[in-house]
Amino acid sequence: MNVEHEEVRADPALVSCERVTFKYGLGQEFIDGALDADKLGLDSTEPVSVRGMQVSPRDVVAAVLPDPATLGERMTGKTCAGTWARGTGKDGKPRSTYLYHVADNETTMREYGSQAVVWQTAVNPVVALELIDRGDWKGTGVLGPEAFRLSPSSSCCASTARPTGSWS
């Protein structure tokens, strides 16, 4: 599956690096379903004729799937979003660091009424707005969180009471 994320384009403009990629972890059941859909051509956007109408197989699949907003209560598990940076440290030695944030679906559903992945996506702009309002973050143009110092973000994110951290 190919998924592009803004970090792939934004980070090289902010940090001297050779390559930026985006990865997302998916469960085996999801992967198997996606591979089956691909084998059957159900992920195609190319229209096919069905009883005289032109429809794309992907649109048919999307039309018969349950509304994702109704699935949250049935989902269990955690989601982990993070950034893995590898390169050379200021000391000239190789360095590898993973910064991450974990959200548990049952917790986010109970406390916020939102699926973990939705909550995890939404909390960052809320934190950014708080930091901008407090004057901790300033800038001109469209800037992602990567364009700002980490320390205000991490102290503000601590108030979200979700596991965050790093390992090197």
Side-chain angles (χ1 to χ4, degrees):
M1 293 184 161
N2 293 316
V3 178
E4 186 163 312
H5 230 248
E6 69 276 2
E7 294 92 339
V8 174
R9 299 215 184 265
D11 289 357
L14 302 167
V15 178
S16 175
C17 60
E18 293 178 24
R19 180 175 171 222
V20 175
T21 62
F22 174 80
K23 306 286 187 235
Y24 191 82
L26 302 168
Q28 193 60 50
E29 184 179 12
F30 184 91
I31 293 169
D32 291 344
L35 291 172
D36 289 342
D38 180 61
K39 286 178 198 170
L40 297 171
L42 295 174
D43 60 348
S44 174
T45 58
E46 292 298 316
V48 296
S49 180
V50 178
R51 297 184 182 153
M53 298 193 63
Q54 294 294 109
V55 295
S56 79
R58 187 182 70 182
D59 290 346
V60 172
V61 170
V64 299
L65 287 173
D67 177 357
T70 66
L71 300 177
E73 295 290 342
R74 295 185 269 167
M75 295 171 61
T76 60
K78 298 177 182 180
T79 181
C80 177
T83 299
W84 181 19
R86 293 182 295 173
T88 305
K90 291 181 181 181
D91 60 2
K93 295 179 182 175
R95 181 170 178 189
S96 176
T97 301
Y98 182 62
L99 304 170
Y100 63 90
H101 181 262
V102 178
D104 178 79
N105 193 72
E106 292 173 273
T107 302
T108 59
M109 286 301 299
R110 181 178 61 252
E111 294 180 13
Y112 303 99
S114 295
Q115 296 170 24
V117 70
V118 172
W119 181 87
Q120 199 170 47
T121 302
V123 74
N124 294 309
V126 171
V127 168
L129 287 172
E130 183 178 329
L131 293 169
I132 291 167
D133 185 58
R134 287 189 340 204
D136 291 336
W137 280 5
K138 296 178 180 72
T140 303
V142 178
L143 300 170
E146 299 84 4
F148 300 100
R149 286 185 20 246
L150 179 61
S151 56
S153 173
S154 58
S155 65
C156 188
C157 285
S159 68
T160 65
R162 299 290 165 256
T164 59
S166 67
W167 57 261
S168 298

